């Protein structure tokens, strides 16, 4: 029941009082009763099911600032839009850690698929949309997500759902570029991408994009010949995991080499500033989005909070209760989405919805178990392999 429904019911209750003083008094009492329900509804904490059943990351959210302050949707002439989207694509490639050749492949792909435009439609009878004509029905994201150019570009490079991104294609950097593009798109007409190479090189030059830029074929943190970045923690990773329920959380030691837009120290400071009296009521069911934004990303690149635990490499998943400050902590709430929060140290986390629906508050980490009856899953370093 929303506020308009409650107001209508209250007015109906008041409207029946047209005869007699007692009916008028009763109608006034009804209005006061329903008004009290409105106030109590805003103050009462959400139940476990209400608070965490839909905690997903739908990409950049309304009211959340995007780094650099640039709008994601391009305006102007066709050429101006193409230049803008080219820069968006290149920015996504850089964030993933891919070389300039990856940008060129993506530009060739987007030019063939959409003439490098953020189209809200595709061929008749097909739900393909956006720069790369990705399909919601094929697990590329929601329509809103795919229509966000930075999200779509990041998906092309890093993958989305069950779909592989360019960095997931073995040996893509040695393939003919149109075949690398086809390995991501599965269009059935991959040879068409090849015809756009010259034009996209000119476009990149006009956009100030360095196509000779270096990078890792598999993205940031996974260079060939090097093991994926890992995290170490006292008492973690050796032998059988210790029981994880029924005890307090203690600070572990941090030994990370990660590249996020914000460092751990900066992220914790940002989380503290955004919590409590300084919090905005924009975080309802957005725990995963919040953790990504704490570290300076626009979005996490994963739909549900609990899924992020499995996206992080296996050797980076820890099931003890000794997370280092800055770690990401996970809970199974009994619902599809689960819950995730940023560990601040001293047994405390920054979490949405736990004290006030939609707001961020700093609370004891074990409150998630006590209040929501959730099961603690474990923690990972603040690693966002699909963020953008």
């Amino acid at each position: 029941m929303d506020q308009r429904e409650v107001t209508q019911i209250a007015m109906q209750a008041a409207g029946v009082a047209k005869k007699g003083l007692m009916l008028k008094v009763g109608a006034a009492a009804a209005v006061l009763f329903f008004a009290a329900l409105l106030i109590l509804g805003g103050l009462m904490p959400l139940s476990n099911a209400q608070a965490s059943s839909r905690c997903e990351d739908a990409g950049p959210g309304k009211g959340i600032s995007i780094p650099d302050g640039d709008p994601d949707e391009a305006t102007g002439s066709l050429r101006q839009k193409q230049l803008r989207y080219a820069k968006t694509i290149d920015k996504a490639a850089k964030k993933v850690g891919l070389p300039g050749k990856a940008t060129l492949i993506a530009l060739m792909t987007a030019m063939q698929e959409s003439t490098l435009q953020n189209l809200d439609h595709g061929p008749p009878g097909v739900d393909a949309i956006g720069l790369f004509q990705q399909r919601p029905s094929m697990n590329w994201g929601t329509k809103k997500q795919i229509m966000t150019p930075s999200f779509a570009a990041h998906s092309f490079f890093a993958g989305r759902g069950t779909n592989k991104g360019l960095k997931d294609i073995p040996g893509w950097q040695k393939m003919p570029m149109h075949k690398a593009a086809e390995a991501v798109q599965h269009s059935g007409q991959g040879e068409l991408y090849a015809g756009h190479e010259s034009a996209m090189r000119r476009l990149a030059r006009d956009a100030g994009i360095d196509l000779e830029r270096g990078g890792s074929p598999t993205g940031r943190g996974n260079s060939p010949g090097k093991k994926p970045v890992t995290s170490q923690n006292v008492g973690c990773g050796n032998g059988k995991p210790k029981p994880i329920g029924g005890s307090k959380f203690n600070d572990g030691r941090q030994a990370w080499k990660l590249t996020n837009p914000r460092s751990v120290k900066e992220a914790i400071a940002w989380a503290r500033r955004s919590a409590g009296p300084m919090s905005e009521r924009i975080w309802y069911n957005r725990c995963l989005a919040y953790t990504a934004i704490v570290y300076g990303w626009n979005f996490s690149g994963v739909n549900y909070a609990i899924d992020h635990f499995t996206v992080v490499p296996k050797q980076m998943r820890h099931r003890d209760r000794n997370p280092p400050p800055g770690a990401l902590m996970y809970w199974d709430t009994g619902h599809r989405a689960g819950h995730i929060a940023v560990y601040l140290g001293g047994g405390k986390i920054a979490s949405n919805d736990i004290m006030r629906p939609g707001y961020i508050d700093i609370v004891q980490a074990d409150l998630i178990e006590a209040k929501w009856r959730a099961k603690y899953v474990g923690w990972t370093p603040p690693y966002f392999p699909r963020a953008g």
Side-chain angles (χ1 to χ4, degrees):
M1 183 181 294
D2 61 22
Q3 185 170 351
R4 287 176 297 179
E5 290 174 327
V6 173
T7 302
Q8 289 174 356
I9 293 173
M11 292 303 294
Q12 290 171 1
V16 300
K18 293 183 179 179
K19 296 181 180 180
L21 177 61
M22 293 303 295
L23 285 179
K24 289 182 181 179
V25 171
V31 172
L32 291 174
F33 173 74
F34 282 105
L37 285 181
L38 279 175
I39 295 172
L40 288 174
L43 295 178
M44 291 178 65
L46 295 180
S47 68
N48 181 16
Q50 289 173 311
S52 57
S53 62
R54 298 182 304 279
C55 190
E56 60 182 313
D57 185 355
K62 181 179 180 182
I64 301 174
S65 61
I66 296 176
D68 299 334
D70 295 328
D72 209 29
E73 186 70 39
T75 58
S77 67
L78 173 61
R79 184 66 171 179
Q80 289 172 328
K81 290 180 180 179
Q82 289 175 332
L83 288 169
R84 167 64 200 223
Y85 290 136
K87 292 178 181 179
T88 297
I89 289 171
D90 186 53
K91 185 176 181 180
K94 289 178 179 177
K95 283 191 173 182
V96 176
L98 295 173
K101 185 176 182 180
T103 295
L104 179 56
I105 292 172
L107 292 176
M108 292 164 57
T109 304
M111 191 65 182
Q112 172 60 33
E113 296 287 357
S114 66
T115 64
L116 202 48
Q117 296 297 293
N118 194 30
L119 302 180
D120 62 357
H121 62 277
V126 180
D127 63 340
I129 52 175
L131 291 172
F132 298 92
Q133 291 290 280
Q134 295 155 336
R135 301 177 62 182
S137 64
M138 298 298 288
N139 208 21
W140 280 103
T142 66
K143 182 175 181 179
K144 178 182 178 181
Q145 289 174 326
I146 297 172
M147 288 297 295
T148 302
S150 58
F151 185 96
H154 188 272
S155 298
F156 178 85
F157 293 123
R160 187 73 58 186
T162 57
N163 301 290
K164 290 184 177 180
L166 184 64
K167 76 179 186 67
D168 302 316
I169 308 302
W172 69 264
Q173 72 277 14
K174 298 179 181 178
M175 294 179 182
M177 287 189 287
H178 70 280
K179 290 188 177 181
E182 175 64 8
V184 177
Q185 296 293 105
H186 302 289
S187 69
Q189 296 179 307
E191 67 279 0
L192 297 177
Y193 301 126
H196 299 287
E197 180 180 351
S198 297
M200 292 303 95
R201 286 187 180 277
R202 291 193 295 271
L203 182 73
R205 180 196 62 206
D206 294 345
I209 295 171
D210 179 13
L211 296 179
E212 303 304 317
R213 182 187 73 251
S216 166
T218 54
R220 180 174 289 116
N222 290 309
S223 300
K226 295 183 179 180
K227 294 181 179 180
V229 62
T230 61
S231 169
Q232 298 176 352
N233 191 55
V234 176
C236 177
N238 297 317
K240 296 180 180 180
K242 297 178 180 178
I244 60 175
S247 61
K248 297 290 184 180
F249 291 94
N250 301 299
D251 293 2
R253 290 190 303 180
Q254 178 193 121
W256 300 328
K257 294 180 181 179
L258 300 174
T259 304
N260 291 314
R262 289 194 184 102
S263 68
V264 170
K265 183 177 180 181
E266 292 169 339
I268 290 176
W270 192 94
R272 290 187 179 279
R273 289 197 302 270
S274 69
M278 300 304 294
S279 180
E280 297 180 77
R281 194 176 183 178
I282 57 176
W283 300 109
Y284 180 60
N285 283 332
R286 289 182 60 81
C287 61
L288 181 56
Y290 176 73
T291 60
I293 291 168
V294 164
Y295 275 95
W297 299 104
N298 293 340
F299 48 83
S300 70
V302 181
N303 286 338
Y304 295 102
I306 201 67
D307 291 351
H308 195 271
F309 188 75
T310 61
V311 168
V312 173
K314 186 176 181 179
Q315 66 271 26
M316 300 172 71
R317 304 174 204 162
H318 303 277
R319 298 182 181 276
D320 59 73
R321 298 176 77 91
N322 304 311
L328 307 180
M329 300 176 66
Y330 305 81
W331 288 266
D332 180 352
T333 61
H335 299 276
R336 172 65 182 88
H339 189 66
I340 186 173
V342 178
Y343 186 64
L344 304 180
K348 295 184 177 181
I349 56 172
S351 176
N352 62 310
D353 298 336
I354 184 66
M355 299 300 294
R356 302 172 296 164
Y359 293 94
I360 304 296
D361 287 292
I362 295 175
V363 298
Q364 292 295 133
D366 53 11
L367 189 62
I368 302 295
E369 296 164 277
K371 190 170 184 178
W372 286 350
R373 298 185 183 277
K375 179 182 178 182
Y376 173 62
V377 173
W379 64 269
T380 68
Y383 182 49
F384 297 90
R386 298 183 181 178

